[in-house]
């Protein structure tokens, strides 16, 4: 006997405990299945015999609660012992019919019929009774649609008229989608007539389904019409009676019928996809009923979804109502025209007034995206989560907002809610991983590590999660452990056959920055193939690390491959604008690629001193970001340093280009006296006499004094002719010397002053004293560096640079004046800068540098008025 067991008591057998359901009354027997045949009974009332429905009977989502069929031509007394079976073959007259439907049952029945309507799968559907109709709302993902249905009963038909349709994330006008949803739910029982879904012969359909199922003959329904349609708490009730008076229609039904008569044809066109024809018919309806709010909204939705018509659509709405009172439509229109504050107000009002929770929550989500202040954004997201706690998009947005305000505890609570709401290991893994990435991106390494570890619980062989855990450990200072995890993630990726470019890039960074093994890091990033999304960054890192190792040739090759890959991608994008898809080297965006090129130019300039390669990198970066000030400044600086290396051919004298008249300003330039030359130059020397202090006199011909061919110990200068005012730009009228003389002595020249005062544009006067343009450019540049705001000195320097043919230096100078000068200076400088760009483009194209020519042409077209 078992210890502790008392005599007289049987030991309790080990086994399953008795079921609580079996202890209930009835012994736990299964309930009797409902009969699939309606129950009928005979009834005698006021000397007439009738067949009635014994208990409610369900027909789909409908439930018939009352049915009375009068049997005519029966004389009393009558034997009723046979029951209904004795009279089932007689054709009676329907006297009364009552049909009810629960909103939840209607939604459960109709949702599968709407599969694929807003997205994949069946949407979440709500059908709720309201006054004189119903509210129909459905959501799938971040797309939601809500509209009201006015029920207008006829004699034996029911008319369903949608109105006030609104939505978020829709690809078609909401009213057209509302009509389509009602049509899909009605199926073959309904037809579209002037923008309404008409359920013809609804009474006949009900009795023909019910009575034959009970073995009785369908009655006559002539004279029976709907007496009332009532929307009560949670259910709909429709009553039909013989010779009943037509029901009185409510305000909602009357308003919907009038709108259908005005715009029913346009509604059918919009449902069929003919939006342009529908728009034209809506405009005609507005002429008949000006400022009709419902028709104005339907027209504005078409213009909004068509694109680039936001202003016209907003004017249509404003004619009928204030834009902030137009609900989601007003918010979308105000956002489209750039009024973010007005759009926020309109969306907030719409969200407060919206009875459908998910749609109100999505409105708050859109309003939060428009808010610049973090507290306002977070308040909007809190209100949205309160309306729809199960909406994932709002939770994710609130996680990011809470992390932005350093509310780590609240963000963790949202992350746990999302993980708990997910169904299945794969969904929970994705939720934990996404939350971990968000925490890591904002520097919360410890919390990110915990979330990555939770994600590994559901997918321990995921290389992405292992790599994320490694990044979080590295951010927390555990670099060695991070390297081990990165190596494991690389092995897992290779085992699964997944692309490992991102892992190779991350592992290369770890080897370089943690282990200090630059050769191994170079090998890792060099293994990333061309065309991969990470290939551009890999080429830059390869070039950077090769330069640090002293392998300048390898660095140059890697950076050249970076530049070639970007140029090829730009050519492909120009040939096919749709080529910048996922996997393209430019998928990171123009700003990121331009930053890579700018760093490559810095490496070329700092490590190798190759200014030409740096200029090519910066020029390519300018093609991606033409208005980036830092890249433009670096390009001007490198081009200015590179300009002296590209000197014009010896003996070439560019002709002065016409330029606008500059403001007269006197500039004093101090130049040293040049040494007296002892030989005659091989080309004619043009000497201009100094300007006379006396008033201008009549012009006289210039005198040319040839040098005698016979050798002479000294050549006397010719007598000075009368001085006449001359154009400073003309040199052909100045006294010249014949170059045929080979004497080593020069004629007596006037003394060269140590200080020259000249007006802008009078550089030939300085050259008359033997000061060449190179020396003058240097002195003017010194003056300009001493006072960068001196516009006169800048323009004089521009003249000298233009004569010297130093167009790159001239471009840098004019670009600086264009950015720093006032409006008058910009008007003077802009035409000259366009001329320089045109010359540079023509020269580059003539010398076969097509990419450089395209850069100059792009800058030129950007400045054309």
């Amino acid at each position: 006997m078992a210890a502790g067991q008392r005599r007289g008591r049987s030991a309790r057998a080990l086994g399953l405990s008795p079921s609580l359901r079996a202890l209930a009354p009835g012994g736990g027997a299964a309930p009797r299945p409902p009969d699939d045949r309606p129950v009928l009974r005979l009834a005698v009332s006021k000397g007439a015999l009738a067949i009635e429905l014994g208990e409610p009977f369900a027909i789909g989502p409908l439930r018939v609660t009352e049915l009375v069929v009068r049997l005519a031509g029966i004389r009393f007394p009558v034997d009723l012992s046979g029951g209904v079976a004795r009279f089932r073959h007689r054709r009676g007259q329907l006297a009364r019919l009552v049909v009810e439907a629960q909103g939840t049952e209607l939604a459960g029945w109709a949702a599968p019929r709407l599969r694929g309507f807003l997205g994949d799968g069946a949407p979440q559907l709500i059908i709720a009774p309201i006054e004189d109709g119903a509210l129909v709302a459905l959501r799938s993902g971040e797309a939601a649609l809500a509209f009201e249905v006015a029920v207008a009963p006829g004699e034996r038909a029911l008319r369903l008229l949608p109105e006030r349709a609104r939505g978020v994330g829709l690809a078609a006008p909401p009213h057209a989608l509302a009509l389509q949803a009602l049509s899909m739910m009605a199926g073959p029982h309904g037809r579209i007539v002037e923008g309404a879904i008409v359920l013809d012969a609804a009474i006949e359909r009900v009795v023909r389904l019910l009575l034959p199922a009970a073995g009785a003959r369908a009655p006559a329904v002539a004279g029976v019409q709907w007496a009332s349609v009532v929307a009560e708490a949670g259910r709909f009730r429709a009553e039909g009676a013989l010779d009943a008076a037509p029901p009185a229609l409510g305000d909602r039904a009357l308003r919907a019928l009038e709108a259908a008569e005005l715009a029913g044809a346009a509604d059918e066109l919009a449902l069929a996809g003919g939006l342009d024809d529908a728009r034209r018919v809506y405009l005609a309806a507005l002429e008949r009923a000006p400022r009709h709010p419902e028709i104005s909204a339907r027209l504005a939705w078409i213009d909004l979804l068509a694109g680039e018509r936001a202003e016209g659509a907003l004017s249509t709405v404003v004619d009928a109502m204030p834009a902030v009172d137009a609900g989601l439509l007003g918010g979308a229109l105000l956002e489209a025209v750039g009024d973010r504050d007005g759009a926020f107000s309109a969306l907030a009002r719409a969200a407060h007034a919206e009875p459908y929770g998910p749609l109100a929550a999505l409105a708050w989500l859109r309003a939060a995206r428009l808010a610049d202040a973090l507290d306002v954004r977070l308040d909007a997201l809190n209100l949205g989560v309160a309306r729809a706690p199960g909406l994932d998009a709002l939770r994710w947005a609130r996680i990011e907002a809470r992390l932005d305000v350093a509310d780590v505890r609240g963000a963790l609570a949202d992350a746990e809610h999302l993980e708990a709401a997910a169904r299945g290991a794969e969904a929970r893994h994705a939720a934990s991983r996404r939350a971990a990435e968000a925490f890591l991106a904002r520097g919360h390494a410890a919390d990110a590590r915990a979330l990555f570890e939770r994600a590994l619980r559901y997918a321990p062989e995921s290389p992405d999660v292992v790599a994320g855990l490694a990044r979080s450990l590295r951010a927390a200072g555990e670099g060695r452990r991070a390297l081990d995890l990165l190596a494991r993630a690389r092995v897992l990726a290779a085992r699964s056959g997944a692309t490992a470019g991102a892992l190779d890039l991350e592992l290369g960074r770890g080897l370089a920055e943690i282990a200090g093994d630059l050769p191994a890091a170079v090998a890792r990033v060099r293994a990333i193939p061309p065309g991969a999304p990470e290939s551009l960054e890999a080429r830059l890192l390869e070039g950077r690390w090769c330069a640090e190792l002293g392998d300048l040739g390898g660095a140059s090759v890697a950076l050249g491959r970076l530049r070639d890959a970007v140029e090829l991608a730009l050519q492909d994008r120009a040939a096919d604008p749709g080529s910048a898809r996922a996997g393209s080297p430019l998928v990171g965006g123009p700003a990121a690629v331009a930053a890579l090129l700018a760093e490559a130019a810095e490496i070329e300039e700092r490590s190798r001193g190759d200014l030409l390669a740096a200029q090519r990198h910066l020029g390519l970066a300018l093609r991606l970001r033409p208005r980036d000030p830092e890249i433009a400044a670096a390009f001007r600086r490198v081009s200015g340093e590179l300009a002296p290396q590209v000197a014009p051919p010896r003996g070439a004298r560019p002709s002065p280009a016409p330029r606008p008249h500059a403001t007269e300003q006197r500039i004093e330039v101090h130049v040293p006296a040049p040494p007296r030359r002892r030989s005659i130059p091989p080309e004619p020397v043009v000497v201009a006499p100094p300007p006379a202090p006396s008033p201008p006199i009549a012009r006289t011909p210039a005198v040319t004094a040839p040098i005698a061919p016979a050798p002479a110990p000294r050549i006397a200068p010719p007598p000075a002719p009368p001085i006449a005012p001359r154009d400073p730009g003309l040199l052909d009228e100045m006294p010249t010397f014949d170059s045929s003389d080979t004497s080593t002595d020069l004629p007596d020249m006037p003394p060269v002053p140590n200080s020259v005062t000249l007006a802008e544009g009078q550089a030939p006067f300085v050259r008359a004293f033997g000061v060449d343009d190179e020396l003058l450019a240097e002195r003017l540049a010194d003056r300009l560096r001493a006072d960068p705001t001196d516009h006169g000195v800048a323009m004089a320097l521009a003249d000298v640079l233009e004569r010297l043919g130093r167009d790159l230096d001239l471009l840098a100078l004019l670009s600086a004046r264009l950015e720093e000068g006032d409006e008058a200076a910009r008007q003077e400088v802009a035409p000259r800068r366009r001329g320089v760009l045109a010359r540079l483009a023509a020269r580059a194209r003539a010398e076969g540098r097509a990419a450089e020519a395209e850069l100059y042409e792009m800058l030129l077209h950007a400045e054309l008025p």
Side-chain angles (χ1 to χ4, degrees):
M1 181 178 294
Q5 180 179 340
R6 293 184 180 180
R7 185 182 301 273
R9 288 190 179 183
S10 60
R12 179 180 174 184
L14 297 177
L16 297 177
S17 60
S19 172
L20 293 179
R21 185 174 298 172
L23 299 178
R32 183 177 62 88
D35 196 352
D36 58 351
R37 299 175 56 135
V39 177
L40 302 180
R41 66 188 179 190
L42 291 176
V44 179
S45 175
K46 296 181 181 180
L49 185 63
I51 297 177
E52 295 181 353
L53 186 64
E55 58 185 32
F57 182 75
I59 302 177
L62 305 178
R63 181 175 295 272
V64 182
T65 57
E66 294 185 35
L67 175 70
V68 177
V69 178
R70 293 178 183 174
L71 300 177
I74 297 179
R75 297 180 180 179
F76 287 89
V78 62
D79 184 9
L80 301 179
S81 59
V84 177
R86 183 175 181 181
F87 302 96
R88 64 182 181 179
H89 296 297
R90 284 183 172 271
R91 181 176 176 84
Q93 171 67 45
L94 181 64
R96 179 177 173 82
L97 176 67
V98 178
V99 180
E100 295 181 358
Q102 297 289 332
T104 54
E105 294 179 359
L106 275 176
W109 170 82
R113 295 171 174 257
L114 296 173
R115 184 177 300 275
F117 179 68
L118 287 182
D120 298 335
Q124 296 179 2
L125 178 63
I126 290 178
I127 301 177
I130 58 176
E131 183 181 1
D132 297 333
L135 170 67
V136 179
L138 54 159
R139 181 188 71 87
S140 178
E142 293 190 29
L145 171 69
F147 56 94
E148 297 171 3
V149 179
V151 181
E155 292 182 357
R156 286 193 299 272
L158 288 176
R159 292 167 292 182
L160 308 179
L161 299 103
E163 63 173 0
R164 293 191 65 242
R166 64 270 185 194
V168 171
L170 306 177
H175 189 79
L177 291 177
L179 268 178
Q180 183 181 356
L182 283 180
S183 178
M184 293 173 68
M185 286 188 286
H189 305 295
R191 60 190 180 94
I192 300 177
V193 179
E194 291 186 350
I197 303 298
V198 179
L199 303 177
D200 289 319
I203 295 176
E204 289 94 331
R205 293 176 185 273
V206 171
V207 296
R208 287 176 183 174
L209 288 173
L210 190 147
L211 288 175
R217 188 176 180 181
V221 294
V224 180
Q225 61 183 3
W226 294 109
S228 65
V229 177
V230 180
E232 300 174 342
R235 67 172 182 168
F236 304 92
R237 184 172 184 273
E239 179 181 345
L242 181 64
D243 298 330
L249 300 179
D251 295 341
R252 185 188 302 275
L254 291 175
R255 185 172 59 248
L257 286 172
E258 290 297 326
E261 182 179 354
L262 287 169
D267 295 339
E268 294 184 18
L269 289 172
L271 177 62
L275 296 183
D276 292 336
D277 296 334
R279 186 181 188 280
R280 185 173 58 254
V281 180
Y282 278 135
L283 282 175
L286 278 180
E287 292 180 2
R288 296 173 55 193
R291 301 188 178 184
H292 193 290
E294 183 68 19
I295 299 176
S296 299
R298 297 176 193 177
L299 176 60
W301 273 112
I302 291 178
D303 287 340
L304 174 64
L305 295 175
E308 299 182 357
R309 300 182 188 172
E311 289 78 10
L314 186 60
S315 68
T316 302
V317 171
V318 170
D319 284 344
M321 70 193 84
V324 293
D325 294 336
L328 296 173
L329 173 61
L333 289 174
L334 290 171
E335 181 183 0
V337 300
D339 186 359
R340 296 171 62 90
D341 293 338
F344 183 90
S345 300
L347 291 171
R349 290 191 182 188
H352 279 299
E354 177 58 50
Y356 181 47
L359 184 56
L362 290 173
W364 281 121
L365 178 61
R366 295 192 64 177
R369 291 170 179 169
L370 294 174
D372 295 327
L374 290 177
D375 55 343
V376 177
R377 184 189 312 167
L378 189 56
D379 288 342
L381 292 173
N382 289 335
L383 290 171
V385 172
R387 293 298 305 271
L391 197 59
D392 292 349
L394 272 166
R395 291 278 182 179
W396 287 118
R398 194 166 73 167
I399 285 178
E400 296 179 357
R402 282 179 164 176
L403 289 176
D404 289 337
V405 298
D407 184 8
V408 180
R409 180 178 297 180
L412 281 174
D414 281 333
E416 292 173 357
H417 180 278
L418 287 167
E419 181 186 352
R423 293 291 176 263
E426 184 177 354
R428 292 196 170 192
H429 163 76
S432 298
R433 175 187 169 188
R434 182 175 174 181
E437 295 286 354
F439 275 79
L440 182 59
R442 286 162 177 81
H444 302 285
D447 298 305
R449 174 181 177 178
L451 290 169
F452 275 123
E453 290 172 350
R454 295 180 68 171
L456 283 176
R457 179 191 310 169
Y458 303 108
E461 300 295 323
S462 173
D464 294 332
V465 177
V466 174
L469 179 58
R471 291 197 304 271
S472 62
L473 288 172
R474 180 181 173 187
E478 302 182 27
R480 298 296 176 180
R481 177 58 180 159
L483 274 180
D484 293 340
L485 287 176
L486 284 174
R488 180 171 179 266
R490 181 65 178 83
V491 173
L492 292 174
R495 185 185 305 168
S496 62
T499 57
L503 287 174
D504 282 334
L505 197 66
E506 194 70 26
L507 189 54
R509 288 182 181 273
L511 289 171
E513 298 173 6
I514 298 173
D517 191 353
L518 290 182
V522 169
R524 279 291 178 185
V525 297
R526 190 171 286 175
I528 299 176
E534 302 84 6
S535 60
L536 297 184
E537 188 175 0
R539 300 292 85 81
L540 175 66
L541 292 177
E542 180 184 352
R544 180 198 298 171
W545 294 332
C546 285
E548 293 179 7
L549 286 171
D551 183 9
L552 300 183
S556 178
V557 170
L559 298 178
R561 289 175 180 171
L562 165 64
R563 184 178 63 246
D564 294 341
V566 176
E567 288 180 348
L568 183 60
L570 287 176
Q571 292 176 5
D572 293 343
R573 189 173 67 176
D576 182 10
S579 63
R581 56 186 178 275
S584 170
L586 301 182
V587 71
V593 179
L596 296 179
L597 291 168
E599 185 177 351
E602 183 182 355
I603 295 173
E604 291 279 12
E605 181 183 2
R606 183 185 64 248
S607 301
R608 301 182 62 246
D610 191 346
L611 295 178
L612 185 59
Q615 185 190 38
R616 292 185 62 187
H617 283 295
L618 291 172
L620 195 57
L622 272 180
R623 291 177 61 185
L624 293 168
R625 299 277 291 175
R627 300 194 180 277
D628 192 305
E630 295 182 0
I631 297 178
F635 180 78
R636 288 196 302 268
R637 178 183 56 78
V638 172
S639 299
E641 296 179 5
L642 190 63
Q645 303 175 13
V646 190
R650 181 176 180 83
R653 186 183 299 276
S655 58
R659 58 183 179 84
H661 177 70
T663 306
E664 291 294 334
Q665 178 178 357
R666 303 196 64 80
I667 306 167
E668 183 175 350
V669 182
H670 297 273
V671 296
R676 184 176 298 275
R677 299 180 181 177
R678 303 303 300 169
S679 60
I680 299 177
E683 57 183 8
V685 179
V686 181
V687 181
S694 58
I697 59 176
R699 180 183 295 273
T700 59
V703 178
T704 303
I707 302 176
R714 192 171 184 82
I715 301 176
I723 300 174
R726 288 178 171 84
D727 188 349
L730 298 176
L731 303 181
D732 54 351
E733 298 181 1
M734 298 182 181
T736 59
F737 294 94
D738 193 352
S739 61
S740 60
D741 187 14
T742 59
S743 174
T744 58
D745 294 332
L746 290 174
D748 293 334
M749 299 296 294
V752 180
N754 291 329
S755 177
V756 180
T757 301
L758 68 156
E760 183 185 353
Q762 293 180 354
F765 174 76
V766 180
R767 291 205 306 275
F769 290 95
V771 181
D772 59 359
D773 283 336
E774 291 289 351
L775 185 59
L776 182 59
E778 182 180 352
R779 296 297 181 265
L780 289 173
D782 292 340
R783 284 288 306 275
L784 187 60
R785 280 191 290 268
D787 185 7
T789 62
D790 197 331
H791 183 67
V793 173
M795 290 296 98
L797 178 59
D799 294 339
V800 177
L801 294 176
E802 189 171 0
R803 287 195 302 273
L804 290 173
R806 292 163 54 178
D807 284 338
L808 287 175
D809 286 346
L810 180 58
L811 176 61
L813 174 64
L814 295 178
S815 300
R817 296 308 305 165
L818 196 64
E819 295 177 359
E820 300 170 1
D822 55 9
E823 184 63 29
R826 284 192 291 271
Q827 290 180 359
E828 179 182 357
V829 168
R832 299 189 66 174
R833 187 172 185 270
R834 290 196 291 268
V836 175
L837 288 171
R839 290 199 302 273
L840 287 172
R843 184 183 306 165
R845 203 167 281 284
E847 295 176 0
R849 302 192 304 273
E852 184 178 349
E854 290 178 1
L855 171 64
Y856 293 131
E857 290 169 355
M858 180 186 65
L859 294 175
L860 177 61
H861 292 321
E863 292 188 3
L864 290 177

